[in-house]
Amino acid sequence: MRFATYDRFTLDLPAAHRYPIGRYRLLRELLEADGHQLVEPEAAPWEQLARVHDAGWLARLRDGELSERERRAIGLPWSPQLVERSRRAVGATIVAARDALAHGVGMSLGGGLHHAGRAGGRGFCVLNDMAVAIAALRDEGAVDRVVVLDCDAHQGEGTAELLAGDDAALTISLHARPKGAARRVVPSDVDIPLPAGTGDDAYLDALAAALDRALADPAPALAFYVAGADAWDGDRLGRLGLTKEGLLRRDVTVLTRLRAAGVAVCVLLAGGYAPDVADTVAINAATARAAVDVHDGYPPAP
């Protein structure tokens, strides 16, 4: 199994910025030290991005003409590096999805940019890698029915928007119940909002129900599994209260159930905002190792 990576295309952020840009390099270095194969995909072409994103939005993004409101919504300063990194993230998800279809499991060391919608980015997500990858794979005739199983601590409103009305795509989101009404929410096909401090056992019960829905007849050919590390109980922005052991059980449960049903799985990382970035990296590395075990046919017990 190989991992798609794009961490070399980094951003210069203030030291106090809450986006943990260094986690991706640290994770890649850890997996390299383990001897895993990595690939650095090309940036997604603009015409491919235009299959799902508004042309005006893409032009403003490309030319650095975002409004102040658009920049604030993203939460990252515009730069040519941001544009390149965002396109590389999409390219990595496309490659990981192709790997999944070819070998059962594929993974990007990033991606899961579920807040990005048709005409704008939000919450550190500039372009929606999953929606673009689905369009690209369908253009290639590689896949039809897909499911997005979003286990980030925050609801994936951008993915829900982009795949709304798509009868061959199912969006499922397990996330912390929003604290207030101000948060923009676009309904997924299946939303499972959970209370703060849900914890391992209750979360895994909800996950089992979500997987039942994901595998309902007809089952998808491909699943995008958004394995957010921000469901951890030590995360600054997530409030679900899972332990690291619970997160590993989550990963193994998702991977084994989907693969047992013959569904290819593209694993993506999404959020993770631990005060010590080493905790997020450890959670992501455990997800990657679980993916390798399932890919190789030796899944650990959930």
Side-chain angles (χ1 to χ4, degrees):
M1 180 175 168
R2 65 178 184 172
F3 297 94
T5 180
Y6 55 92
D7 68 275
R8 265 198 327 112
F9 302 90
T10 191
L11 306 173
D12 292 326
L13 298 175
H17 201 286
R18 65 179 182 172
Y19 185 66
I21 189 72
R23 66 182 267 218
Y24 303 98
R25 174 184 57 81
L26 293 170
L27 177 61
R28 187 251 307 158
E29 290 174 348
L30 187 60
L31 294 175
E32 279 182 325
D34 284 350
H36 293 297
Q37 179 185 359
L38 293 109
V39 60
E40 188 176 85
E42 296 295 321
W46 288 103
E47 57 269 23
Q48 204 166 51
L49 302 176
R51 291 279 285 107
V52 302
H53 285 292
D54 175 75
W57 156 247
L58 292 176
R60 294 192 301 278
L61 174 66
R62 182 189 61 231
D63 299 336
E65 295 178 352
L66 302 182
S67 69
E68 180 61 27
R69 182 177 181 179
E70 288 173 323
R71 291 195 296 270
R72 284 200 310 269
I74 293 171
L76 297 168
W78 184 91
S79 66
Q81 291 77 20
L82 176 66
V83 177
E84 181 70 12
R85 177 182 175 84
S86 301
R87 294 173 61 209
R88 293 276 177 169
V90 177
T93 294
I94 293 171
V95 166
R98 288 176 180 150
D99 283 353
L101 289 170
H103 306 293
V105 182
M107 183 167 177
S108 168
L109 302 183
L113 306 174
H114 59 170
H115 296 311
R118 187 174 308 281
R122 291 176 62 87
F124 309 141
C125 302
V126 179
L127 300 166
N128 194 297
D129 54 315
M130 293 168 285
V132 178
I134 290 166
L137 293 169
R138 286 175 171 170
D139 287 346
E140 297 166 8
V143 74
D144 183 23
R145 296 195 63 82
V146 299
V147 62
V148 176
L149 179 60
D150 193 334
C151 292
D152 188 87
H154 306 95
Q155 196 252 10
E157 80 280 9
T159 309
E161 175 197 0
L162 287 164
L163 297 180
D166 185 336
D167 292 339
L170 178 68
T171 54
I172 303 175
S173 178
L174 285 79
H175 53 269
R177 185 176 293 130
K179 287 189 284 189
R183 180 79 168 87
R184 173 178 176 262
V185 174
V186 178
S188 310
D189 294 316
V190 180
D191 278 313
I192 306 176
L194 300 169
T198 289
D200 294 348
D201 292 341
Y203 185 94
L204 291 167
D205 287 344
L207 177 63
L211 284 164
D212 288 343
R213 181 66 180 85
L215 294 171
D217 188 48
L222 173 66
F224 291 86
Y225 168 41
V226 183
D230 51 3
W232 180 51
D233 58 7
D235 194 88
R236 289 179 295 178
L237 302 184
R239 297 176 292 111
L240 287 172
L242 274 69
T243 65
K244 290 180 181 177
E245 293 76 12
L247 287 168
L248 179 58
R249 289 168 63 195
R250 176 199 70 176
D251 294 339
V252 173
T253 298
V254 170
L255 288 160
T256 54
R257 279 205 61 185
L258 291 174
R259 289 302 299 131
V263 180
V265 187
C266 175
V267 184
L268 306 167
L269 293 180
Y273 311 96
D276 184 345
V277 71
D279 286 308
T280 299
V281 172
I283 293 166
N284 292 159
T287 300
R289 289 164 181 152
V292 170
D293 286 341
V294 172
H295 173 275
D296 292 346
Y298 302 101

